Amino acid sequence: MDKVYKWGLTFALFLVLDMAEARTYLVDFGTASSYRGVTTPSPDSNGNYWNGLELSTNAILLRDSSNVTGSIRLGFVTVSGVGTDSYNGPAGPTDATNLAANLLLTDLDTAALGSLGIREAGFDYVVSSNGRLVLSGLDPAVTYQLTLFGSHKYSTDTSTSYEVYRNSSLTQSAGSASLNVQSPTSPAQHNRNQVAVIPNLTPSSAGTLYLRFRGGNGSVGYLNALMLSDATTTSNT
């Protein structure tokens, strides 16, 4: 009985430690300083803290949803051919002089989108035909997951492709997913309730992952917000 009790206590302790180490990081692609963009409040209505990424190759140090800063950085590899906007996103045709009123028109299924279902986060987006982001400072012993929300009306390509690689030359694939940013049958209807999920992402030995996004048929793709989660610690499995 004594041995069973000790094993159970040890197992419970491991569970508590794993839960304590699990983190999520929320990123909005737009701020009040970006073109027709807004800043997501921190904490938001769910009590989560956000990171706002602007067009710059200077990577930002990410804080997690509980406002704790670690070692993970996120930045653009290049800003050539990359832009930020909110026009024809979930709020429709936005006006730079009236963003407060435009924000109220943002149409999202907040329940379906979960932590990403925050009006300010879904309002604006980054757009590119070959956008590339780099995550650095990741733990090579941890498996990560990316959850991505893209949404736009009247897009040339109905879907956006999200591809993750372990190296900067994009030859070592780690995972990918595709998401319809608008309705396949009605380009006037933006995506309001779907996300793309890329699980089981193992960083390079240097702790990096590269994310490329682009239109499913080679035109431009859209990314409004993302969530990075550390899923498992491989040394504990």
Side-chain angles (χ1 to χ4, degrees):
M1 292 294 294
D2 186 53
K3 290 183 179 180
V4 172
Y5 170 77
K6 287 182 179 179
W7 181 89
L9 182 62
T10 302
F11 179 71
L13 181 59
F14 274 131
L15 283 179
V16 171
L17 289 175
D18 283 346
M19 290 176 65
E21 291 174 355
R23 291 185 176 183
T24 59
Y25 303 82
L26 298 166
V27 181
D28 174 22
F29 292 92
T31 70
S33 299
S34 60
Y35 183 60
R36 286 194 288 220
V38 296
T39 298
T40 301
S42 290
D44 63 19
S45 57
N46 296 323
N48 294 325
Y49 287 78
W50 283 78
N51 303 273
L53 189 64
E54 300 178 10
L55 284 186
S56 172
T57 53
N58 295 321
I60 61 171
L61 188 63
L62 298 183
R63 60 179 175 180
D64 69 14
S65 58
S66 63
N67 201 27
V68 176
T69 301
S71 62
I72 301 176
R73 292 181 179 272
L74 175 66
F76 290 97
V77 175
T78 175
V79 295
S80 176
V82 181
T84 56
D85 204 343
S86 58
Y87 193 85
N88 277 344
T94 55
D95 179 353
T97 63
N98 202 20
L99 289 180
N102 296 157
L103 182 61
L104 297 177
L105 301 176
T106 306
D107 176 34
L108 299 174
D109 185 337
T110 57
L113 296 176
S115 296
L116 294 180
I118 300 299
R119 178 184 292 166
E120 291 85 353
F123 177 79
D124 40 24
Y125 54 78
V126 59
V127 54
S128 176
S129 61
N130 195 29
R132 300 185 187 189
L133 293 154
V134 57
L135 282 158
S136 60
L138 300 168
D139 187 342
V142 172
T143 300
Y144 295 87
Q145 176 171 292
L146 279 173
T147 304
L148 309 114
F149 175 64
S151 179
H152 189 263
K153 300 175 174 67
Y154 304 112
S155 307
T156 302
D157 285 354
T158 293
S159 67
T160 291
S161 175
Y162 305 101
E163 308 156 14
V164 182
Y165 298 86
R166 294 187 182 90
N167 61 333
S168 59
S169 57
L170 309 186
T171 58
Q172 300 174 14
S173 176
S176 64
S178 180
L179 178 69
N180 286 338
V181 298
Q182 65 190 24
S183 168
T185 58
S186 178
Q189 297 180 14
H190 65 274
N191 171 36
R192 60 186 303 274
N193 58 7
Q194 300 293 318
V195 296
V197 179
I198 311 177
N200 304 319
L201 295 172
T202 303
S204 69
S205 59
T208 57
L209 286 172
Y210 293 82
L211 171 64
R212 176 168 67 182
F213 66 98
R214 52 187 175 173
N217 291 318
S219 186
V220 295
Y222 297 86
L223 179 56
N224 299 51
L226 68 76
M227 177 171 63
L228 171 72
S229 308
D230 53 1
T232 62
T233 304
T234 57
S235 60
N236 287 345
T237 57

